Amino acid sequence: MQTYSFQPTVEYARQLDQEDVLAHYRNEFYIKPDSIYMDGNSLGLLSKRAEKSLLEVLADWKELGIDGWMEGKHPWFFLPETLAKLSAPLVGASAEEVIVTGSTTVNLHQLVASFYKPEGKRTKILADELTFPSDIYALQSQLRLHGFNPETHLIRVKSRDGRLLEEEDLIAAMTEEIALIILPTVLYRSGQILDMKRLTDEAHARGILIGFDGCHSVGAIPHAFSEWDVDFAFWCNYKHLNGGPGSVGSLYVNRKHFGTLPGLAGWFGSKKDKQFDMEHLLIPADTAGAFQIGTPHILSLAPLIGSFEMFQEAGIERIREKSLQSTQYLMDLIDFELEDYGFIIGNPREEKRRGGHVSLEHKEAARICKALKEYGVVPDYRAPNIIRLAPIALYNTYEEVWKVVQILKNIMAEKLYEQYSNERNVVA
Ligand SMILES: *Cc1c(COP(=O)(O)O)cnc(C)c1O
């Protein structure tokens, strides 16, 4: 690839597309011809491979009935482990340290139930005030289950500017009262990447366990969970990983914690060869598989087979490279074309701290998003004032990025957003 050197012309966008080594993957997705999809960080698009693997699993059900568990093309009984093996490289883990199971929120409950062990003065959980609400609800309810008051026992580190978190502030809050830390890998609004290695080192130096919510990073940026010695992590597979609405999530448990009893136990956490002994004594798997609960949701796992294969083939390093260049290009175009219209770029600009989306702030964001949709762009709105735009490496083009900014400029110049109310829709 030539070195990137910004030019505002559509010819430059086309040149970037020609040099794009991942460009051919776009043909593998269902892309609507008159629509530019910039929302792959909320719900990834369907690929033909994901559709194919789902249809294969359905066909096995049709043909084999219960024998699909062992004899299907993708034997259902081992599917969570098979998918863990395919996706472990995305987080820098060995296959045994990952399992594809549950949902983000359920997996968070499972991991807190397993690794939050309040003792003596160490009884509090550390999180941050910008975290995704579901994580906070889960932590509050886990504290209540232990008889603690979430008001006093859930510490939420403050952001200095409402957008970003400073690692120094997080570290300063790691006191002797903290038993467990849960933080995002990438903040869902501003797209900031936290320095996971540094935070893990600092937590461990104070005898605290740390886990990460990887929803906004897995599939967009590389991770080295095992090398960084992260204790555990959890994420969903329907955003950057294109697994489909409500597809099964994933969790990571560092191998040093193998043997920890699952806080929420169920028979699918058994050692595989013991499960059907039907004994009342659980013999947990000696891998992250121990943290599974019940029967896997096979039809919501199936699209991941095709999707994970694509990630394995494309390689997360190349995906990150294109994602960084696309978001840089988007920011450069915004700086160049939209400076008169009151936008603020709220994500960090440095590559080390920038995730997979651009976070564009504007006081009219809700209705600008409605206008964008009307004019053929699917953005993502986060109340009260954020337009998130995610150019996805496997299916968005540079020319689409260029067009989005032109459409946005037209909406602002002609005040087209004024025809809409500045309120969010039910699903935003
Ligand atoms: C999307 C997302 C979730 C969603 O959790 P589900 O259990 O899949 O509904 C949780 N946390 C973060 C940070 C997210 O981005």
Side-chain angles (χ1 to χ4, degrees):
M1 201 185 287
Q2 309 242 313
T3 41
Y4 171 84
S5 147
F6 175 68
Q7 292 169 39
T9 60
V10 70
E11 287 73 25
Y12 188 60
R14 289 176 186 150
Q15 184 191 325
L16 292 174
D17 282 324
Q18 283 202 336
E19 291 164 1
D20 175 9
V21 296
L22 299 177
H24 60 283
Y25 283 104
R26 178 175 168 86
N27 300 326
E28 300 211 28
F29 285 86
Y30 287 97
I31 310 268
K32 281 177 66 182
D34 300 321
S35 172
I36 302 179
Y37 197 76
M38 285 280 137
D39 205 4
N41 58 335
S42 258
L43 181 70
L45 290 180
L46 174 63
S47 66
K48 292 170 189 169
R49 287 199 227 185
E51 178 185 53
K52 179 166 171 275
S53 56
L54 172 59
L55 292 175
E56 285 168 353
V57 171
L58 269 177
D60 281 342
W61 179 24
K62 203 187 281 178
E63 289 300 317
L64 301 172
I66 194 156
D67 289 333
W69 283 103
M70 293 305 277
E71 290 165 22
K73 181 170 191 315
H74 313 281
W76 307 337
F77 190 58
F78 300 106
L79 199 46
E81 286 79 9
T82 305
L83 288 168
K85 190 171 175 193
L86 271 175
S87 56
L90 296 175
V91 293
S94 63
E96 303 74 44
E97 290 172 307
V98 174
I99 195 73
V100 182
T101 187
S103 71
T104 307
T105 311
V106 169
N107 290 340
L108 171 58
H109 273 292
Q110 169 68 297
L111 293 162
V112 175
S114 306
F115 292 104
Y116 170 54
K117 295 182 174 155
E119 230 187 280
K121 260 175 74 176
R122 262 192 210 286
T123 52
K124 298 185 178 175
I125 298 179
L126 185 68
D128 68 272
E129 69 164 359
L130 300 180
T131 278
F132 198 86
S134 196
D135 295 29
I136 294 297
Y137 306 155
L139 295 175
Q140 288 169 331
S141 67
Q142 286 286 333
L143 284 165
R144 272 186 227 110
L145 283 172
H146 282 267
F148 294 116
N149 180 355
E151 295 283 329
T152 54
H153 277 66
L154 180 60
I155 307 298
R156 273 173 282 177
V157 174
K158 290 219 174 320
S159 160
R160 297 182 195 182
D161 63 356
R163 300 184 181 106
L164 308 180
L165 296 169
E166 299 305 322
E167 278 82 4
E168 288 76 17
D169 298 345
L170 295 165
I171 293 163
M174 296 178 185
T175 66
E176 288 169 0
E177 297 186 331
I178 305 296
L180 185 67
I181 303 171
I182 305 287
L183 291 170
T185 54
V186 164
L187 274 67
Y188 77 101
R189 301 164 118 261
S190 69
Q192 177 194 359
I193 303 178
L194 289 179
D195 186 341
M196 290 166 257
K197 177 179 186 327
R198 179 173 171 208
L199 293 165
T200 302
D201 286 346
E202 297 287 348
H204 289 169
R206 292 161 179 77
I208 309 171
L209 294 187
I210 185 164
F212 287 97
D213 179 335
C215 281
H216 272 82
S217 64
V218 182
I221 71 175
H223 306 66
F225 284 156
S226 294
E227 189 190 315
W228 300 332
D229 204 27
V230 166
D231 291 291
F232 59 85
F234 51 97
W235 59 94
C236 64
N237 290 313
Y238 52 78
K239 290 172 180 157
H240 287 282
L241 289 161
N242 312 320
S247 68
V248 176
S250 292
L251 61 80
Y252 161 87
V253 173
N254 191 307
R255 67 169 60 251
K256 72 183 178 189
H257 295 303
F258 288 176
T260 300
L261 275 183
L264 308 174
W267 73 319
F268 266 81
S270 299
K271 252 193 159 110
K272 288 281 191 214
D273 55 339
K274 300 282 184 211
Q275 181 171 343
F276 280 85
D277 289 351
M278 303 307 237
E279 294 293 342
H280 278 190
L281 177 69
L282 169 66
I283 303 181
D286 41 22
T287 63
F291 298 90
Q292 297 174 89
I293 302 176
T295 304
H297 303 161
I298 298 299
L299 297 181
S300 296
L301 284 166
L304 293 170
I305 304 166
S307 186
F308 285 0
E309 276 171 14
M310 284 173 86
F311 277 85
Q312 196 184 46
E313 193 184 289
I316 192 64
E317 299 292 341
R318 291 200 297 172
I319 288 170
R320 172 63 169 163
E321 205 175 307
K322 177 173 173 191
S323 165
L324 274 174
Q325 186 164 298
S326 306
T327 49
Q328 184 63 52
Y329 181 52
L330 177 53
M331 292 189 298
D332 288 341
L333 285 167
I334 290 167
D335 288 340
F336 184 84
E337 302 280 8
L338 300 177
E339 63 167 345
D340 298 337
Y341 300 110
F343 288 102
I344 294 171
I345 292 182
N347 53 278
R349 292 197 182 232
E350 318 92 274
E351 295 202 342
K352 248 183 74 184
R353 297 176 89 201
R354 187 169 91 237
H357 68 264
V358 167
S359 177
L360 198 53
E361 299 174 13
H362 196 285
K363 62 182 190 327
E364 307 283 2
R367 49 184 177 167
I368 293 171
C369 282
K370 289 179 192 170
L372 277 170
K373 247 190 169 152
E374 188 68 32
Y375 288 88
V377 179
V378 182
D380 189 83
Y381 171 65
R382 285 292 168 258
N385 66 338
I386 297 181
I387 304 166
R388 300 190 312 173
L389 298 170
I392 300 298
L394 290 183
Y395 54 78
N396 286 119
T397 64
Y398 291 94
E399 188 167 346
E400 284 183 312
V401 173
W402 185 86
K403 280 187 189 152
V404 165
V405 177
Q406 299 304 313
I407 292 169
L408 194 49
K409 186 177 182 181
N410 186 49
I411 287 169
M412 300 314 292
E414 305 291 329
K415 296 192 177 359
L416 298 172
Y417 59 87
E418 287 183 353
Q419 304 162 29
Y420 308 89
S421 74
N422 200 32
E423 286 155 13
R424 70 166 167 80
N425 296 325
V426 173
V427 174

